[in-house]
Amino acid sequence: MLRPGRGLVYELLSFGAPELGARLHERGWGETGMVPFGHSAPTFPSTTRTRGQYSTGGTGTVEFASPVPELIEGLAKGLAREHVLDWGGTALRVQGVDVLTPPDFASGKAVMRTSTPVVMKGSGHNEHGERTTRQAWVLPTEPEFPAYFEGNLRRKAQTIGVDPEVSVQAITWVGPKRSFAVSQGRKPGAAIEAEIHGAPETLRCIWSWGLGQANSAGFGWVIA
């Protein structure tokens, strides 16, 4: 469901901002080398849902976001020349493109909820302090998650060059565990709702990027 999105973003950038797309693909952005964009899964509100299947059909929406204006401009130029998007073999006919602006978050507080799982790696250490794996995915209900989640948000702020003093006050809701396949294998996680405090500009950047890791693969997409 999420896998085609990352490749599609780079395809659109190859038309709208080829140099930026190539640089982003090779080195990432800023000193951290993170990739500052995210995307939703395509949604089709009018389609009848079938248990165990992802239904498509009718009018739907797919969203792309980034806190980097140049990247958004490149995506917009790429979308302007496309009439059909290939989402893993499913043809999405482009009927219109709208631009959404993030909330102002003037109070310095935000409650963000995701529609796709938030994935996060922990330390990979066992109870004896020994590292046993480098693929230690931790769920939002596990003890290590809050600290690593907050560290990821601060690293994102540093990548963009905004105030990194951001904190997670509470995780107020956790959805069921879900796992999606990406090019590096399957990543487990869960959708969450979190109360986050920080500078308004920092919160706007996070809203426009996503929560947790692997946002370029569609994880941690913020819907509210």
Side-chain angles (χ1 to χ4, degrees), residues 115-163:
S115 60
T116 56
V118 173
V119 295
M120 183 62 54
K121 282 185 180 179
S123 65
H125 293 165
N126 62 19
E127 65 272 17
H128 306 294
E130 303 167 332
R131 169 164 276 182
T132 58
T133 178
R134 294 186 179 274
Q135 299 297 318
W137 301 104
V138 291
L139 295 174
T141 53
E142 297 179 14
E144 280 193 333
F145 183 89
Y148 280 89
F149 178 47
E150 187 173 280
N152 173 265
L153 297 180
R154 294 185 175 189
R155 192 161 174 253
K156 285 175 173 172
Q158 292 169 346
T159 299
I160 301 302
V162 295
D163 188 348

Side-chain angles (χ1 to χ4, degrees), residues 74-118:
L75 286 174
K77 289 179 179 178
L79 284 167
R81 67 180 299 279
E82 294 295 317
H83 300 292
V84 176
L85 302 179
D86 180 3
W87 193 276
T90 298
L92 305 179
R93 187 179 302 278
V94 180
Q95 297 179 326
V97 178
D98 294 323
V99 178
L100 301 177
T101 57
D104 59 23
F105 297 121
S107 67
K109 301 177 183 179
V111 177
M112 300 186 193
R113 178 181 284 237
T114 68
S115 60
T116 56
V118 173

Side-chain angles (χ1 to χ4, degrees), residues 208-223:
S208 300
W209 188 337
L211 303 185
Q213 298 175 328
N215 304 122
S216 63
F219 293 93
W221 178 255
V222 177
I223 56 172

Side-chain angles (χ1 to χ4, degrees), residues 11-72:
E11 180 181 344
L12 293 172
L13 289 176
S14 71
F15 299 120
E19 293 183 3
L20 173 60
R23 189 178 75 213
L24 198 64
H25 187 267
E26 292 173 6
R27 302 193 299 271
W29 189 267
E31 296 181 359
T32 67
M34 298 179 81
V35 182
F37 70 79
H39 63 83
S40 72
T43 58
F44 302 90
S46 62
T47 301
T48 302
R49 295 184 179 183
T50 303
R51 184 176 179 83
Q53 296 182 357
Y54 191 80
S55 302
T56 63
T59 301
T61 302
V62 62
E63 297 178 301
F64 305 95
S66 172
V68 179
E70 303 97 304
L71 201 156
I72 290 296

